[in-house]
Amino acid sequence: SQQGEEDPQALSIQEGENATMNCSYKTSINNLQWYRQNSGRGLVHLILIRSNEREKHSGRLRVTLDTSKKSSSLLITASRAADTASYFCATAGTGGFKTIFGAGTRLFVKA
Amino acid sequence: DAGVIQSPRHEVTEMGQEVTLRCKPISGHDYLFWYRQTMMRGLELLIYFNNNVPIDDSGMPEDRFSAKMPNASFSTLKIQPSEPRDSAVYFCASSLDRWDNEQFFGPGTRLTVL
């Protein structure tokens, strides 16, 4: 399966700390995307990193991609209570024309 | 733009009834996706369309599920007859130009089948 798998499943940190979430996948990809989902809401796109890129930044977000290890990480720096949400990685594989979402990491940021 | 619009937001129905979920994608987006989210199975892609044509429906669970996109601004997902195991949140999403571009999700329809 191409599906990304996030690690850890759940993460609890204090406000101001950094949060790191990891995603591993099994097949070659066109790109990898990270999404956030607040409770009871739809997913919101955070960042897209292409297979020929190694790192991207967006505000307090930093995403890395290691295609040799088939893994990606999402770092949220100086976390805030408002960052409390579930975070999903989604992989767009080269072999199939669909984007597959992982099971997500639930992040809880304590004020 | 108002974003992706879904209706209804909540639907409670009894087993055996027909359920129709509706979606209006963002204007100009070429791709429309239907997903189902449950605690047990996570977020599953059911079907997606490109320029109103179904491209991949391999995620549709069974014949009770059907989806249509009669024009670029409207799509429906129908379940007939509905069963309790269909209870989930159903999301519609749309994207521009490519199937692997970022997707814009609607707020979802929470379906409960009693």
Side-chain angles (χ1 to χ4, degrees), chain B residues 11-86:
Chain B
E11 176 81 32
V12 180
T13 191
E14 293 190 346
M15 183 174 63
Q17 297 297 306
E18 176 182 302
V19 175
T20 299
L21 311 182
R22 298 172 176 80
C23 175
K24 176 179 169 56
I26 292 173
S27 177
H29 280 195
D30 309 291
Y31 289 82
L32 183 140
F33 307 83
W34 282 101
Y35 291 91
R36 177 173 68 178
Q37 186 177 39
T38 62
M39 289 294 292
M40 290 296 293
R41 301 173 71 93
L43 191 67
E44 301 173 278
L45 176 65
L46 301 177
I47 185 172
Y48 78 90
F49 296 83
N50 175 216
N51 291 326
N52 314 336
V53 176
I55 301 301
D56 188 328
D57 66 354
S58 60
M60 296 286 263
E62 47 198 276
D63 292 346
R64 297 185 298 106
F65 286 69
S66 63
K68 294 181 179 179
M69 192 164 185
N71 57 63
S73 60
F74 183 66
S75 177
T76 59
L77 178 67
K78 183 179 294 186
I79 308 172
Q80 180 185 21
S82 58
E83 296 182 3
R85 59 193 170 117
D86 301 331

Side-chain angles (χ1 to χ4, degrees), chain A residues 2-66:
Chain A
Q2 153 196 333
Q3 185 176 19
E5 296 181 0
E6 290 90 342
D7 165 55
Q9 290 186 327
L11 181 61
S12 182
I13 59 174
Q14 291 289 138
E15 204 167 31
E17 293 180 340
N18 295 342
T20 300
M21 289 158 270
N22 303 296
C23 172
S24 60
Y25 58 92
K26 296 180 181 178
T27 62
S28 297
I29 58 172
N30 287 340
N31 67 54
L32 186 145
Q33 302 171 41
W34 286 92
Y35 289 78
R36 183 189 73 228
Q37 184 179 32
N38 290 90
S39 181
R41 303 287 189 91
L43 280 73
V44 174
H45 185 267
L46 296 176
I47 199 163
L48 182 154
I49 186 165
R50 302 194 184 283
S51 59
N52 61 353
E53 297 175 309
R54 292 297 166 258
E55 187 171 312
K56 284 189 84 169
H57 296 256
S58 177
R60 293 183 297 112
L61 305 180
R62 173 177 165 249
V63 169
T64 61
L65 179 65
D66 186 335

